[in-house]
């Protein structure tokens, strides 16, 4: 059974040990990093500098959406141009064109209640529709993605994010650590996505592709609130933030080698401040 957990430390002893280990964060001039948790690992602190802001593309899509493959192609091109760690895509199967559980359909149920919650929250009116770093409204024309992504990539970010994961059988533990150059209230979103899901997709030319490869499909939110958990970003001398620890049990039907962790911090005013991604299993 999947579990959606709030950010917790296992106990006071672990909190003390982790605090002593977290002398720092890595990463000047990079958007993200990821590694497996080693019980004896030491993180060395480096003073953060302003970094380029990574981009989150939330792609509201569906297997019965004939125009959605055009959006996927545009997003893939942007990832090839800038890198998948800089342009992070999340395919949110939702709305009227998403497939859900049905005994009479051969399609995999990629549509979820979680996806529909986001679809309704953001007021998506048609598909494909995307949000780019949660600034401005939804974009419905794939030809406009490149300009919006280019603008977002040129902005600087007040955050660096460090992700560490540990996978034991189906039990996943995640550590999220960050440093901030600003003082503000924000929300932290933590998602799991899956690549290489081969299943049916309705195509723009009217055909049905039964061997279509669906990538970065949203599988699960790991925060207590599906819209993200509240966090306080502090700058100045308060650099050694207590890490956020999240744990979940993976669905046995998900392929571990194709799962990715996606983490981003955002505010209602400024949109996504910074994002990071890494594979769950290596």
């Amino acid at each position: 059974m999947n579990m959606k957990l709030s950010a917790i430390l296992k106990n006071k002893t672990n909190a003390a040990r982790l605090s002593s280990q977290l002398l720092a964060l890595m990463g000047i001039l990079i958007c993200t990093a990821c590694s497996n948790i080693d019980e004896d690992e030491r993180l060395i602190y480096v003073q953060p500098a302003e970094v380029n802001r990574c981009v989150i593309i939330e792609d509201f899509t569906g297997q019965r959406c004939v125009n959605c493959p055009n959006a996927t192609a545009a997003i893939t091109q942007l990832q090839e141009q800038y890198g998948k760690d800089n342009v992070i895509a999340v395919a949110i199967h939702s709305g009227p064109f998403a497939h859900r559980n049905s005994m009479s359909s051969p399609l995999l149920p990629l549509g979820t209640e979680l996806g529909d919650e986001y679809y309704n929250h953001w007021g998506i009116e048609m598909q494909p529709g995307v949000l780019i770093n949660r600034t401005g409204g939804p974009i419905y024309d794939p030809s406009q993605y490149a300009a919006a992504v280019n603008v977002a990539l040129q902005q600087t970010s007040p955050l660096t994010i460090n992700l560490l994961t540990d996978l034991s059988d189906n039990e996943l533990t995640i550590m999220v650590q960050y440093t901030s150059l600003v003082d503000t209230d924000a929300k932290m979103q933590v998602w799991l996505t899956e690549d290489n899901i081969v299943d049916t997709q309705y195509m723009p030319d009217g055909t049905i592709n039964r061997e279509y490869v669906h990538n970065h499909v949203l599988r699960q939110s790991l925060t207590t609130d599906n819209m993200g958990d509240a966090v306080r970003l502090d700058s100045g001398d308060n650099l050694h933030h207590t890490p956020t620890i999240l744990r979940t049990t993976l669905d046995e039907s998900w392929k571990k080698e194709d799962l990715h962790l996606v983490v981003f911090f955002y505010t209602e005013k400024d949109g996504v401040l910074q994002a990071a991604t890494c594979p769950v299993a290596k």
Side-chain angles (χ1 to χ4, degrees):
M1 179 181 297
N2 295 330
M3 298 186 296
K4 182 170 59 181
L5 302 177
S6 61
I8 56 171
L9 292 173
K10 186 176 181 181
N11 53 45
K12 292 183 179 179
T13 301
N14 282 344
R17 178 170 58 82
L18 287 169
S19 295
S20 65
Q21 290 179 337
L22 290 166
L23 299 176
L25 303 174
M26 35 61 68
I28 299 178
L29 302 175
I30 58 174
C31 290
T32 174
C34 178
S35 60
N36 288 329
I37 294 174
D38 186 332
E39 189 168 342
D40 297 323
E41 186 173 19
R42 290 285 189 264
L43 302 179
I44 301 175
Y45 177 74
V46 178
Q47 173 67 33
E50 288 188 338
V51 299
N52 291 331
R53 189 172 304 198
C54 297
V55 176
I56 288 284
I57 300 181
E58 296 170 77
D59 176 21
F60 292 89
T61 188
Q63 290 164 273
R64 293 191 175 95
C65 171
V66 297
N67 291 318
C68 287
N70 293 331
T72 300
I75 293 169
T76 299
Q77 184 176 7
L78 288 166
Q79 290 187 310
E80 290 174 351
Q81 181 177 356
Y82 296 110
K84 292 183 179 180
D85 288 342
N86 296 321
V87 176
I88 303 168
V90 180
I92 305 175
H93 286 253
S94 55
F97 296 112
H99 178 68
R100 296 163 186 82
N101 286 310
S102 173
M103 297 297 294
S104 61
S105 174
L107 278 68
L108 289 174
L110 300 182
T112 62
E113 292 183 3
L114 177 64
D116 287 338
E117 180 179 341
Y118 296 138
Y119 180 94
N120 294 325
H121 177 86
W122 296 111
I124 305 300
E125 297 179 351
M126 63 186 73
Q127 291 169 288
V130 307
L131 295 174
I132 296 180
N133 268 9
R134 295 189 174 177
T135 56
I139 300 175
Y140 299 107
D141 182 353
S143 69
Q144 297 177 2
Y145 297 173
V149 166
N150 184 265
V151 169
L153 286 171
Q154 293 183 51
Q155 298 177 2
T156 55
S157 173
L159 288 176
T160 58
I161 302 173
N162 188 31
L163 306 178
L164 300 101
T165 64
D166 180 67
L167 182 62
S168 178
D169 295 325
N170 282 337
E171 301 300 318
L172 176 64
T173 301
I174 299 161
M175 179 190 293
V176 181
Q177 181 66 45
Y178 63 92
T179 56
S180 175
L181 299 176
V182 295
D183 302 306
T184 188
D185 293 315
K187 287 189 176 181
M188 180 182 69
Q189 194 90 63
V190 181
W191 286 338
L192 287 178
T193 65
E194 185 177 359
D195 288 339
N196 299 317
I197 301 173
V198 178
D199 202 65
T200 300
Q201 175 65 50
Y202 288 43
M203 302 300 292
D205 62 2
T207 62
I208 299 177
N209 184 349
R210 303 191 186 281
E211 298 297 323
Y212 190 88
V213 179
H214 298 269
N215 287 317
H216 38 78
V217 174
L218 178 63
R219 285 304 201 183
Q220 185 181 14
S221 172
L222 296 179
T223 49
T224 301
D225 186 334
N226 286 337
M227 293 307 300
D229 289 340
V231 294
R232 177 66 187 176
L233 304 181
D234 295 313
S235 62
D237 295 330
N238 186 20
L239 294 172
H240 303 287
H241 298 285
T242 300
T244 296
I245 305 293
L246 303 107
R247 298 183 176 89
T248 192
T249 301
L250 301 178
D251 190 303
E252 293 185 356
S253 68
W254 299 344
K255 292 176 291 183
K256 300 173 188 176
E257 64 274 17
D258 290 327
L259 291 176
H260 281 75
L261 177 67
V262 175
V263 177
F264 59 97
F265 292 76
Y266 75 99
T267 68
E268 299 294 339
K269 176 184 176 183
D270 299 314
V272 174
L273 301 176
Q274 187 58 291
T277 184
C278 71
V280 165
K282 301 179 196 174

